[in-house]
């Protein structure tokens, strides 16, 4: 009787066990994408975990400008000029800083983190996290970074030589917190023969030089939160702001293989490859703007933006040596935006009602140079 009960229990558990095993197998196949490429052009390392260490130099630049006209008065309050061209600006650069990081991956899935090591002010408030799925067919990567830095504000009324000309420049009293959240996605057209990640990650190797068109998309939020009495522009009551980008485009990527020697066994002994990747992705930012948050907690102000052309560029030199992988990577992001319509002082929460016909434009630019060493178990 006991033997019969055990046999029945074993038979009933088989479908559940087989289903779970099937799901796990399908998951592993999805992570590694299976053998869905031309193996004469692409070599995929056997399944394994990867651990990496990296060091990077990076710099970010945020530049905002508000152009407007205003009315000028003399010392007795009488109007001396109307519709005077004027400008307020915010300039912020975190200068050059360095960071160290580590990453863990299995197949196409990866997780990485880092921390700023210098200069000293960059250590006070910094974060660098990324999570992604990067395959030779398609990929998506999300990243979050942040740092603290002071900004430079200017306010210029009129032109030099005008009796009412004035120019003031000030540094924010406290370091503001700058954050950057981005999600990137790509789709490879020539996915049978082109391994987009060959120079960036260690799981795939490009055997022969080739390239492909890429369809790419990006969602990006860059913002700054001011401390104390600091404000977005000298003449506003905004305590923080965020720029929002949604971009799509078609780019091109090419792998140049300088040297390739196949692996002699499943442990990748004898494998040697040097590949250079060059990628350019022009994009159209089809929906972007600035969300400004008033210091008094009232309703946020959204400054809509018109469609603007922008660009993303990457380059990497990857070296595969047995189970080791080394990479030198450069990434450059360039995003420009401008307000779609002219606004009044009231639209922007400006305390001076004489400000009229306000337009806002800005530039967010960043670059990163990174070296990485990874080992595939």
């Amino acid at each position: 009787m006991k033997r019969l009960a055990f046999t029945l229990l074993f038979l009933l558990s088989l479908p559940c066990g087989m289903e779970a095993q099937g799901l796990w197998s399908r998951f592993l196949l999805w992570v590694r994408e299976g053998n869905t490429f031309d193996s004469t052009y692409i070599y995929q390392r056997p399944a394994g975990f990867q651990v990496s260490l990296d060091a990077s130099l990076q710099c970010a630049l945020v530049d905002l400008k508000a152009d407007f006209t205003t009315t000028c008065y003399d010392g007795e309050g009488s109007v001396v000029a109307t519709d005077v061209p004027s400008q307020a600006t915010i300039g912020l650069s975190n200068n050059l800083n360095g960071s160290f990081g580590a990453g863990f991956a299995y197949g196409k899935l990866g997780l990485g983190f880092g921390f700023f090591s210098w200069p000293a002010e960059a250590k006070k408030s910094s974060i660098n996290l990324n999570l992604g799925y990067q395959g030779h067919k398609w990929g998506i990567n999300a990243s979050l970074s942040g740092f603290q830095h002071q900004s430079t504000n200017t306010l210029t009324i009129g032109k030099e030589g005008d009796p009412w000309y004035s120019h003031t420049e000030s540094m924010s009293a406290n370091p503001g917190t700058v954050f950057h959240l981005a999600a990137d996605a790509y789709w490879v057209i020539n996915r049978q023969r082109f391994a987009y990640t060959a120079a960036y990650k260690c799981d795939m190797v490009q055997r022969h030089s080739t390239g492909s068109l890429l369809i790419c998309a990006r969602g990006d939020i860059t913002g700054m939160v001011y401390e104390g009495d600091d404000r977005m522009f000298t003449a506003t009551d905004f305590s923080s702001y965020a720029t929002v980008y949604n971009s799509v485009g078609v780019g091109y990527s090419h792998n140049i293989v300088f040297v390739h020697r196949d692996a002699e066994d499943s442990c990748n002994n004898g494998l040697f490859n040097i590949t250079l990747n060059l990628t350019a992705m022009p994009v159209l930012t089809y929906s972007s703007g600035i969300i400004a948050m008033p210091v008094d907690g009232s309703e946020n102000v959204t400054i809509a933006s018109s469609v603007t052309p922008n660009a993303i560029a990457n380059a990497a030199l990857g070296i595969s040596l047995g189970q080791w992988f080394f990479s030198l990577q450069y990434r450059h992001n360039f995003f420009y935006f401008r307000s779609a319509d002219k606004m009044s002082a009231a639209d922007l929460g400006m305390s001076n009602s004489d400000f009229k016909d306000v337009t806002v434009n800005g530039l967010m630019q960043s670059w990163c140079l990174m070296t990485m060493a990874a080992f595939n178990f």
Side-chain angles (χ1 to χ4, degrees):
M1 188 68 181
K2 290 182 179 179
R3 182 176 298 178
L4 178 61
F6 177 79
T7 303
L8 289 173
L9 181 63
F10 174 74
L11 291 174
L12 289 172
S13 68
L14 279 178
C16 296
M18 292 175 65
E19 182 179 355
Q21 186 177 8
L23 289 173
W24 178 248
S25 299
R26 285 195 292 270
F27 173 75
L28 293 180
L29 182 64
W30 175 75
V31 170
R32 295 196 53 78
E33 290 189 315
N35 189 22
T36 57
F37 49 80
D38 186 343
S39 59
T40 61
Y41 273 79
I42 299 174
Y43 168 68
Q44 180 171 270
R45 294 172 181 265
F49 287 95
Q50 301 127 35
V51 177
S52 62
L53 296 175
D54 62 77
S56 64
L57 295 175
Q58 50 203 308
C59 186
L61 169 69
V62 179
D63 187 15
L64 294 178
K65 295 180 181 179
D67 293 292
F68 56 94
T69 61
T70 188
T71 301
C72 295
Y73 303 86
D74 60 17
E76 298 178 356
S78 300
V79 176
V80 295
T82 60
D83 298 328
V84 177
S86 305
Q87 186 181 80
T89 69
I90 301 173
L92 185 145
S93 172
N94 70 331
N95 301 318
L96 187 65
N97 61 63
S99 68
F100 293 98
F104 305 91
Y106 180 80
K108 316 302 179 187
L109 290 174
L111 171 67
F113 63 91
F115 58 90
F116 291 107
S117 57
W118 60 270
E121 57 268 22
K123 297 180 183 179
K124 296 177 182 178
S125 177
S126 63
I127 186 172
N128 192 352
L129 300 171
N130 64 78
L131 174 66
Y133 174 91
Q134 295 177 296
H136 80 280
K137 292 180 181 178
W138 63 275
I140 184 169
N141 188 75
S143 62
L144 172 66
S145 60
F147 60 90
Q148 280 193 332
H149 206 277
Q150 291 176 294
S151 64
T152 301
N153 293 355
T154 69
L155 179 61
T156 304
I157 305 296
K159 299 178 181 179
E160 288 189 55
D162 293 340
W164 47 82
Y165 171 77
S166 69
H167 175 80
T168 58
E169 182 173 332
S170 61
M171 182 75 72
S172 59
N174 305 290
T177 300
V178 180
F179 65 88
H180 181 221
L181 176 64
D184 296 278
Y186 65 86
W187 179 269
V188 181
I189 303 299
N190 183 22
R191 49 188 175 274
Q192 293 297 320
R193 294 186 171 185
F194 178 67
Y196 175 54
T197 62
Y200 299 90
K201 296 171 75 268
C202 66
D203 63 312
M204 306 200 80
V205 179
Q206 186 78 60
R207 281 180 159 140
H208 302 286
S209 298
T210 188
S212 175
L213 290 174
L214 302 177
I215 299 174
C216 52
R218 161 172 283 200
D220 187 292
I221 301 175
T222 300
M224 183 165 185
V225 179
Y226 289 93
E227 303 291 338
D229 295 328
D230 294 323
R231 298 292 179 265
M232 175 180 170
F233 287 115
T234 302
T236 72
D237 292 323
F238 297 141
S239 60
S240 56
Y241 69 91
T243 56
V244 182
Y245 312 90
N246 295 295
S247 307
V248 293
V250 178
Y252 182 77
S253 183
H254 197 87
N255 282 337
I256 303 173
V257 180
F258 296 107
V259 179
H260 177 76
R261 187 173 66 220
D262 284 329
E264 299 170 357
D265 52 36
S266 60
C267 294
N268 292 306
N269 291 319
L271 175 64
F272 181 53
N273 179 280
I274 301 178
T275 298
L276 173 67
N277 173 265
L278 300 173
T279 302
M281 301 183 190
V283 297
L284 284 178
T285 304
Y286 66 92
S287 175
S288 65
I290 302 174
I291 301 174
M293 288 139 273
V295 68
D296 60 6
S298 57
E299 187 177 354
N300 294 341
V301 175
T302 301
I303 305 172
S305 174
S306 56
V307 176
T308 55
N310 290 295
I312 303 169
N314 303 329
L317 180 67
I319 301 175
S320 297
L321 185 62
Q323 291 178 267
W324 287 94
F325 176 76
F326 305 92
S327 181
L328 176 64
Q329 305 174 16
Y330 177 78
R331 303 176 187 273
H332 195 106
N333 300 308
F334 179 95
F335 281 88
Y336 170 79
F337 61 91
R338 62 178 181 271
S339 56
D341 303 301
K342 292 183 178 180
M343 296 160 287
S344 66
D347 294 333
L348 291 172
M350 287 184 170
S351 56
N352 192 333
S353 60
D354 290 327
F355 293 167
K356 299 179 296 183
D357 299 331
V358 183
T359 60
V360 179
N361 64 82
L363 171 68
M364 195 285 287
Q365 198 171 184
S366 64
W367 63 264
C368 176
L369 179 65
M370 183 179 77
T371 59
M372 181 185 71
F375 186 81
N376 188 71
F377 290 93

